Amino acid sequence: MPITLGNAFIKNFLGKAPDWYKLAIIAFLIINPFIFAVDPFTAGWVLVAEFIFTLAMALKCYPLQPGGLLAIEAIAIGMTSPEQVMHELEANLEVILLLVFMVAGIYFMKQLLLFIFTKILLGVRSKVILSVAFCITAAFLSAFLDALTVIAVIISVAVGFYAIYHRVVSGKGNNPSHDHTTDEHLSELTRQDLDDYRAFLRSLLMHAGVGTALGGVTTMVGEPQNLIIADQAGWLFGEFIIRMLPVTLPVFIFGIVTCVLVEKFKVFGYGSALPEHVRNILLDYEKEQKTKRTNLDVAKLWVQGAIAVWLIFGLAFHLAAVGLIGLSVIVLATSFTGVIEEHSVGKAFEEALPFTALLAVFFSIVAVIVDQHLFGPIIDWVLHMEGDKQLSMFYIANGLLSMVSDNVFVGTVYINEVKMALMNGVISRDQFDMLAVAINTGTNLPSVATPNGQAAFLFLLTSALAPLIRLSYGRMVVMALPYTIVLAVVGLFCITFLLEPMTASLYEIGLLDHHSATEATSHVASSGH
């Protein structure tokens, strides 16, 4: 029986998403204008909850479409304006350029990455040691590079590993167009191997994702909000590291201990080892690649190695915006490896551009948060705290808000408020410095709880890899839970009990110098904030 035109419109709406999901999105779109007409503040928080719902259901439907519909409606009914959305996009232009160019640049270095990580994966038998290695490496790189770049590298490698195994067991040879999400052709034996392999890759990716948070909090270049906080406080690179040390060092140690414990006791979805059958397939693949490797392939590896050195050097010394360095990687890698057709270059952009569009939608939701002053009551409440309570509550408030919103936005709002308090003589310079530490660590550590709290986690959740290894929003939250508890609690303990005495000790031994409030004010004025 032919489908009617009306049913065709309904069936086409959000495609293959479940009917209950479609009805939920339609219900959101219907109720939002009515809630906004009654209470704009409540409507803003309802919209945030709805957007988080679309992220949580990312495996049912990519969040860009339903989230985008919510954002368009929010602008249409006056919850925010196109100008405010544009302002948020302009403020985060470097992040957008990073996604457009850097992730594409990593695509052209897959051969080298797969070569290096295959050696590591097959050379280290202990899953605990391998997990710790992934976590520490991601932390170290994220302290000097960008967390999204680091996670993009690891995703690229994981996709390569997954494809090797799946092509072999599915009998598809080297056909990359095979749909890896279907398992009907697999025997029970290989299906179990595949499930174990997925669990193995999930755990490594989560360890690496948490590692980017552990490393990103330590330096002024580790996360975008760190740079804003350092700028407002007038801290240089070395001073930033030292001021964060009373919190970041204990948190890092406990983070690595958590990594060891969850692997050793196989809890929260961790502990799966690399199946022996899969190891053998990867070994055979490595041997086959070695025999097939020509001088052309070797030359490409050397070129990609040289470009990797440039990438690390350029990012570590901030020779240009991250996205521009990514563009240089694309130009160099394609030029010296013979990739000159437009369609070959275009494939590199397929992974990141959907997420870039989703991030623009995310910033539209942030624009609603700004225009509706959703964080206003929390900020006012925390600012009116006094003494030690203020430090602890700044950390907690930043952590909670960063779980649902953009870390850069939360960090910027709080550091500006604290700066104004300093300029108005409400707080001392020493209190300002410690509050800045609380804001930085608060926006970086507890936010590992959810994918929308960490851009690296959100990128992983919405990547092409997530459905392949069955990494959903809920599963990610569960796997992050032990880290969330440990990092948040240890961070809070350090802020409450260690920060003030250890900072005083750092002053005494000369590792830190006192700033005057007038210096901070003049610095802020000269920086244009």
Side-chain angles (χ1 to χ4, degrees), residues 129-399:
I129 294 174
L130 192 63
S131 299
V132 170
F134 264 71
C135 192
I136 291 177
T137 302
F140 177 78
L141 291 175
S142 295
F144 300 98
L145 311 182
D146 184 88
L148 279 173
T149 304
V150 175
I151 209 71
V153 168
I154 295 167
I155 289 172
S156 179
V157 170
V159 168
F161 283 145
Y162 184 88
I164 292 165
Y165 171 73
H166 212 291
R167 281 202 299 266
V168 171
V169 298
S170 63
K172 296 290 179 179
N174 290 318
N175 178 15
S177 64
H178 173 61
D179 179 10
H180 303 302
T181 62
T182 57
D183 303 331
E184 289 82 1
H185 54 274
L186 300 177
S187 68
E188 285 305 315
L189 176 63
T190 54
R191 190 186 302 276
Q192 185 59 51
D193 279 336
L194 181 57
D195 289 342
D196 292 342
Y197 190 32
R198 283 170 170 157
F200 172 79
L201 291 176
R202 277 198 304 268
S203 60
L204 286 185
L205 283 160
M206 287 301 294
H207 289 313
V210 172
T212 62
L214 289 173
V217 69
T218 58
T219 68
M220 63 184 283
V221 297
E223 292 285 351
Q225 68 269 21
N226 300 18
L227 204 55
I228 294 167
I229 292 167
D231 182 52
Q232 297 284 43
W235 298 339
L236 298 178
F237 192 87
E239 183 178 359
F240 187 97
I241 293 174
I242 293 170
R243 285 194 178 276
M244 296 299 153
L245 213 54
V247 182
T248 55
L249 184 59
V251 165
F252 179 79
I253 293 168
F254 277 90
I256 299 303
V257 170
T258 305
C259 177
V260 173
L261 292 177
V262 294
E263 283 295 337
K264 198 168 184 63
F265 292 103
K266 301 183 178 181
V267 291
F268 295 97
Y270 295 99
S272 297
L274 179 64
E276 201 58 38
H277 184 211
V278 181
R279 179 183 291 277
N280 292 334
I281 288 174
L282 293 176
L283 280 168
D284 291 341
Y285 171 81
E286 187 188 26
K287 290 174 186 174
E288 183 186 355
Q289 290 299 108
K290 195 172 182 179
T291 56
K292 283 183 177 179
R293 197 170 289 132
T294 64
N295 282 338
L296 280 172
D297 297 318
V298 174
K300 287 178 182 177
L301 289 175
W302 276 105
V303 166
Q304 289 174 18
I307 294 169
V309 172
W310 150 244
L311 175 64
I312 293 170
F313 182 84
L315 289 172
F317 289 92
H318 309 284
L319 301 181
V322 178
L324 297 182
I325 294 174
L327 180 57
S328 74
V329 168
I330 295 172
V331 173
L332 293 170
T334 53
S335 299
F336 290 97
T337 58
V339 180
I340 56 172
E341 296 84 8
E342 183 182 357
H343 70 275
S344 299
V345 175
K347 288 178 183 176
F349 292 88
E350 291 176 3
E351 174 69 20
L353 285 184
F355 182 72
T356 308
L358 174 61
L359 202 64
V361 170
F362 179 69
F363 289 133
S364 302
I365 305 301
V366 171
V368 172
I369 293 173
V370 174
D371 280 350
Q372 300 305 320
H373 309 289
L374 300 189
F375 293 171
I378 303 172
I379 292 170
D380 291 341
W381 176 59
V382 173
L383 280 173
H384 285 90
M385 293 262 176
E386 292 184 1
D388 295 337
K389 281 185 180 178
Q390 195 178 52
L391 277 176
S392 303
M393 291 313 301
F394 258 83
Y395 175 85
I396 292 170
N398 274 269

Side-chain angles (χ1 to χ4, degrees), residues 113-130:
L113 296 170
L114 206 55
F115 175 79
I116 293 171
F117 278 88
T118 301
K119 297 285 186 187
I120 296 171
L121 202 66
L122 298 176
V124 180
R125 283 269 182 175
S126 168
K127 176 65 187 307
V128 174
I129 294 174
L130 192 63

